[in-house]
Amino acid sequence: EHGLIGPAAEIYQRLASVLEHASDYDSSQATYREAITFCQEHDVTIMEQLCVACVAGVLWQTGEWYQAMDLCRAVMEAPDIPPLVVAVAAGYLGALQVATGDMKRARPNSLQALAQAQANEVVGLEILCRWTLARHADHQLI
């Protein structure tokens, strides 16, 4: 109503994140998808891609791994997306790749995401990457 497109997009993303952390995955996914549509309608590409990466995290939690990996790859291939947003997608993709046994691709994605997580002090992403790398290392011992 007041033309506050950026703050509205951010509020959508934050609400979806809260719902995700509350384990309300259906509502979280629906809110992320509303956010994506809102961002597309208002040409807020960076927030749109962040929401796409984040919905991949929800899909991971609900077992829709291959759809989540497709979304992560789409974010990583999108033009002009900030490195931290790409890192969120790479972090989820690495975790999904370890979970599906694709160890060769998991490590580089996780290391890329970890570097951005540390540089930007994004603790949740750093934990995800370290967990993924630990699972990767454990697999190498088997």
Side-chain angles (χ1 to χ4, degrees):
E1 177 181 318
H2 297 286
L4 300 172
I5 304 303
E10 184 176 343
I11 288 169
Y12 265 121
Q13 188 275 329
R14 288 179 185 259
L15 174 60
S17 179
V18 167
L19 293 166
E20 178 183 357
H21 286 89
S23 300
D24 186 350
Y25 299 123
D26 290 337
S27 296
S28 176
Q29 188 175 155
T31 305
Y32 275 127
R33 294 200 185 277
E34 286 178 37
I36 291 165
T37 300
F38 178 85
C39 289
Q40 288 170 340
E41 290 172 353
H42 294 91
D43 198 29
V44 187
T45 306
I46 293 170
M47 186 60 77
E48 173 194 348
Q49 293 302 312
L50 176 59
C51 289
V52 170
C54 291
V55 81
V58 175
L59 293 173
W60 174 35
Q61 296 294 333
T62 60
E64 299 171 72
W65 292 359
Y66 293 98
Q67 183 182 358
M69 287 191 283
D70 289 343
L71 291 177
C72 290
R73 287 185 192 101
V75 170
M76 293 171 70
E77 294 168 2
D80 302 320
I81 302 302
L84 184 56
V85 175
V86 172
V88 171
Y92 282 127
L93 183 57
L96 288 156
Q97 288 166 325
V98 162
T100 58
D102 187 0
M103 299 299 167
K104 183 178 180 181
R105 291 185 182 96
R107 185 171 169 76
N109 284 324
S110 297
L111 289 172
Q112 171 193 353
L114 179 60
Q116 283 296 317
Q118 290 173 321
N120 291 280
E121 299 180 354
V122 181
V123 176
L125 180 58
E126 183 175 349
I127 291 168
L128 173 66
C129 294
R130 289 187 181 280
W131 176 78
T132 300
L133 291 166
R135 289 190 64 212
H136 183 277
D138 188 50
H139 183 270
Q140 299 304 314
L141 296 174
I142 297 174

